[in-house]
Amino acid sequence: MAGLRTSVFISAVSFLLGLLFTHWIADSLTLWKSPETQTDFRLWTSATYYSILSRMPPALLYLYGGVVSIGATALLWSLGDGQAGNLMFDGGSALLYGTAVFIYIYSVIPNILQNFTSLPLPFEYASKAMSAALDFPAFPSSLKGPTLELASSHLACSVALTGVVALQAGRWWVEQYDEDEQQQTVDGEGDETHPELSEEEGAQSTATEGGDQARKRAGPVRT
């Protein structure tokens, strides 16, 4: 059952990480850019992506919320066992997972709904700029902050969920190590429980070796 819960949780986290990685299409245009390379074209492209994202069907939002709920349920169920490994690794995972969910609910979603839902998509400007090398219209200064904040929030969520995967991998390694140690202990106790068997095996081995040596000294049997 523990393996099933971990598999469900890791699957949910991997799904959410995949969603965040798709946002890199827009986030890569605005993150870690100097003022010289932060052009209006990059900002408009990123804002256009977020504007399209704000118009996604509500069913997808419910689907994403369901995946988050399933992952949280599996994690809390595992954390409820109260074992040392669960408290350490699952506790850290719960903190990072909750941080990512908190950032997305209280920062990303309100930002998108407030600033990008009614944003006019500059597709005509994009086609002209790419075909005729025309300058893009100036990007609104009031929208620059929310655009950069979205990229930073997505990055923070990705780092948090990556930390969750690392913690769960560490938990798996520790559990495998403990199982190997227990198996070695059981094998050692089995040898100590039946010392007479080892003595009998040693005596039989000694007798067999002695018989072989005696036959070698006697030489081949003549008929």
Side-chain angles (χ1 to χ4, degrees):
M1 184 62 70
L4 177 61
R5 291 178 302 193
T6 303
S7 299
V8 171
F9 178 60
I10 291 297
S11 299
V13 172
S14 300
F15 179 82
L16 297 175
L17 270 176
L19 291 178
L20 291 172
F21 289 159
T22 60
H23 299 331
W24 187 249
I25 299 172
D27 298 338
S28 62
L29 301 175
T30 56
L31 281 175
W32 306 309
K33 296 294 186 297
S34 62
E36 293 77 12
T37 58
Q38 191 65 272
T39 61
D40 290 330
F41 178 80
R42 291 176 178 272
L43 293 171
W44 273 120
T45 303
S46 181
T48 299
Y49 174 84
Y50 296 134
S51 181
I52 296 173
L53 189 65
S54 67
R55 293 171 169 84
M56 68 178 179
L60 289 179
L61 188 60
Y62 297 145
L63 173 62
Y64 302 155
V67 173
V68 172
S69 300
I70 291 174
T73 301
L75 178 60
L76 293 177
W77 189 5
S78 179
L79 187 62
D81 288 346
Q83 299 179 3
N86 296 63
L87 293 176
M88 181 170 59
F89 292 103
D90 289 343
S93 298
L95 178 61
L96 293 176
Y97 191 79
T99 300
V101 173
F102 179 84
I103 292 174
Y104 211 86
I105 292 178
Y106 291 97
S107 178
V108 174
I109 294 179
N111 192 345
I112 292 177
L113 296 180
Q114 182 179 356
N115 299 292
F116 298 93
T117 303
S118 58
L119 180 68
L121 303 180
F123 289 131
E124 56 176 346
Y125 298 116
S127 61
K128 291 179 180 179
M130 288 185 291
S131 61
L134 298 177
D135 292 334
F136 247 55
F139 192 77
S141 58
S142 60
L143 200 59
K144 185 175 181 179
T147 303
L148 299 178
E149 183 181 349
L150 273 177
S152 300
S153 298
H154 286 154
L155 179 63
C157 292
S158 299
V159 171
L161 293 182
T162 303
V164 170
V165 175
L167 284 174
Q168 292 300 313
R171 174 189 173 183
W172 176 84
W173 184 85
V174 170
E175 290 179 350
Q176 291 295 116
Y177 181 81
D178 291 341
E179 290 179 1
D180 294 340
E181 288 290 325
Q182 292 177 359
Q183 185 63 36
Q184 293 178 1
T185 302
V186 171
D187 294 341
E189 291 177 353
D191 295 338
E192 295 176 358
T193 305
H194 305 285
E196 65 279 0
L197 296 180
S198 300
E199 294 177 357
E200 291 179 359
E201 292 176 355
Q204 292 177 358
S205 177
T206 303
T208 302
E209 292 177 357
D212 293 340
Q213 293 177 359
R215 283 193 293 270
K216 289 180 180 179
R217 295 193 191 97
V221 179
R222 297 180 180 179
T223 57

